[in-house]
Amino acid sequence: MGLLLVMLSSMGDAQAYDWPIEGQDSIFANGSLQPKAKTEENNRQDDSPENTLKLYRNGVAAYYGAQLETANEQTVYTELVAAQQQNRIKGAVSQSSAIEITLARQVVLPLVNSTGSSAYQNLCSEVGKAIDAFLFDYNENYWIYGYRWVPEGASNQISKIRMWFTDYYSDIRSELNLTDEELSRLEQKITGTNRYEVVKRAYEEVIRLVVYPTDDRMAYHTITGGLLEKYSHKGVCDCYARLFKLLCQKKGIACILVPGGSDMIDGEVQMDHIWNYVQMEDGKWYLVDCTWDDLGTSTPRMTHFLAGYQTPGLYSETVGQNHLAVGRFTSSLSLIHISEPTRQAEIS
């Protein structure tokens, strides 16, 4: 898709610049995460120690947001969190209704080839990392397909950005209320006297409800496909993992989305799958893959329930051998830290 050009807001007699609208057209493409760059280890450096950031959710550090490093990454993330709390995310659907974010650190660009400069490309990467982390931490924004943003400032200086979002498919907004109602009904079934029982019930209910499709529709890649009768409760791995995360989240249990795959191609993980890690009472993270444990029967496989990387898996492999976690969501986000799950928790 070609870049759309808009005029940078100029102040005084500053030179006017044309800036491309930046962003990505999707977090997923046809259900698969699309990496474009090799991952590299991050050296975690907080370049704004004075910054008091709200990288928390219900008093607990947001898993991906807390790993953002630069002042601009953290600011974009926390401004999006604030917009989420103020119910402004759903209203940001065009440039005119966009969320305005003042950058923590102004970006100064060269007068020649400004958008091709390393400073501009670095800002694009910072914004990409922040939005990726936000959408994975705040999974209730399941209706979002992608995002767009445009910089603002004076002359060759960028001091603000404006960001808005695109819908996952054309009808999803009309289905939000019904989807949320069905999610609430499903949540009411998730009971237990301890965390283990609650997590197990959430796992079972997701597998009992969602049917893996033989065809492909956009709705199957979000929770609407799994929750709504309109779509025959069909969903692919995106649906299973996101629905399981939301149920755990509503019960106050830490749960994250983990992108990755099971195959290597030219030394790179083929990113075509997504599953969950859930944190149990011992403080450790365990793998849960509702998709791979759905046998289409009333009884799940249980192989990938609270599993560790050394847990026996399928095809004479361990769970860790066919669940290769990659800490990159899109080309924007560098490698983040995903702890290897411990051995499988006792299943009773």
Side-chain angles (χ1 to χ4, degrees):
M1 178 179 293
L3 293 175
L4 302 176
L5 295 180
V6 296
M7 186 68 70
L8 176 72
S9 299
S10 300
M11 292 179 283
D13 56 359
Q15 181 179 355
Y17 280 77
D18 285 338
W19 302 99
I21 293 178
E22 299 291 351
Q24 60 187 39
D25 292 324
S26 66
I27 303 302
F28 295 92
N30 296 324
S32 299
L33 293 151
Q34 302 296 314
K36 295 181 182 179
K38 294 182 182 297
T39 59
E40 296 179 356
E41 285 290 350
N42 283 338
N43 294 319
R44 185 178 176 84
Q45 296 178 347
D46 184 357
D47 61 2
S48 59
E50 76 284 357
N51 209 349
T52 55
L53 297 164
K54 297 179 180 178
L55 300 178
Y56 296 90
R57 178 165 196 136
N58 299 328
V60 180
Y63 191 87
Y64 293 116
Q67 296 186 48
L68 296 173
E69 299 178 316
T70 72
N72 281 340
E73 290 168 5
Q74 295 169 344
T75 296
V76 171
Y77 180 92
T78 52
E79 286 297 313
L80 290 173
V81 172
Q84 175 76 27
Q85 295 170 341
Q86 297 161 8
N87 296 317
R88 291 190 290 124
I89 297 293
K90 288 181 180 178
V93 295
S94 66
Q95 188 173 346
S96 61
S97 60
I99 296 169
E100 183 177 275
I101 300 173
T102 300
L103 298 175
R105 299 202 171 184
Q106 192 174 78
V107 178
V108 180
L109 305 177
L111 296 177
V112 179
N113 191 29
S114 57
T115 58
S117 67
S118 60
Y120 187 78
Q121 295 303 313
N122 183 63
L123 175 60
C124 291
S125 176
E126 289 182 316
V127 174
K129 291 178 184 180
I131 185 64
D132 282 340
F134 171 73
L135 291 177
F136 268 61
D137 282 340
Y138 286 80
N139 185 48
E140 55 266 53
N141 296 298
Y142 57 84
W143 58 272
I144 292 178
Y145 182 79
Y147 67 94
R148 309 289 278 171
W149 64 273
V150 62
E152 294 182 346
S155 186
N156 62 323
Q157 297 179 344
I158 300 174
S159 58
K160 298 180 180 180
I161 66 170
R162 294 177 62 83
M163 180 179 293
W164 63 100
F165 306 96
T166 57
D167 293 355
Y168 213 96
Y169 54 88
S170 60
D171 296 332
I172 195 167
R173 281 183 175 267
S174 65
E175 298 168 350
L176 293 183
N177 289 339
L178 180 57
T179 301
D180 290 341
E181 289 174 6
E182 293 300 322
L183 179 61
S184 295
R185 289 192 183 96
L186 185 62
E187 181 196 356
Q188 293 172 9
K189 298 181 180 179
I190 312 305
T191 59
T193 59
N194 54 49
R195 181 174 298 208
Y196 175 86
E197 291 180 355
V198 171
V199 170
K200 186 171 183 288
R201 186 66 184 271
Y203 160 86
E204 292 171 338
E205 289 298 332
V206 169
I207 291 176
R208 184 176 293 115
L209 176 67
V210 181
V211 178
Y212 201 92
T214 55
D215 57 337
D216 191 25
R217 296 180 66 175
M218 290 298 287
Y220 300 164
H221 298 270
T222 184
I223 68 169
T224 54
L227 287 171
L228 300 186
E229 177 63 33
K230 173 181 179 179
Y231 301 109
S232 302
H233 301 292
K234 292 182 179 180
V236 295
C237 59
D238 304 344
C239 174
Y240 284 87
R242 291 174 179 275
L243 187 52
F244 178 77
K245 172 177 162 56
L246 280 173
L247 292 173
C248 289
Q249 179 178 299
K250 287 177 174 292
K251 296 300 181 179
I253 297 173
C255 181
I256 65 170
L257 297 165
V258 181
S262 57
D263 296 316
M264 298 285 291
I265 298 179
D266 296 329
E268 295 275 334
V269 176
Q270 184 179 8
M271 297 175 67
D272 57 4
H273 191 39
I274 187 168
W275 58 91
N276 302 99
Y277 290 169
V278 62
Q279 191 176 42
M280 301 302 287
E281 288 96 337
D282 59 5
K284 297 177 181 179
W285 294 87
Y286 297 86
L287 182 147
V288 174
D289 189 342
C290 296
T291 311
W292 277 32
D293 278 354
D294 189 355
L295 299 173
T297 64
S298 59
T299 304
R301 191 194 305 270
M302 298 294 286
T303 301
H304 305 94
F305 176 68
L306 298 182
Y309 268 23
Q310 298 305 314
T311 300
L314 304 177
Y315 316 117
S316 302
E317 294 179 327
T318 66
V319 168
Q321 288 174 319
N322 53 36
H323 283 73
L324 305 173
V326 177
R328 183 180 68 250
F329 308 144
T330 67
S331 58
S332 301
L333 188 57
S334 301
L335 186 69
I336 51 83
H337 308 286
I338 299 179
S339 300
E340 180 177 303
T342 55
R343 63 181 180 82
Q344 188 164 30
E346 182 179 352
I347 298 176
S348 57

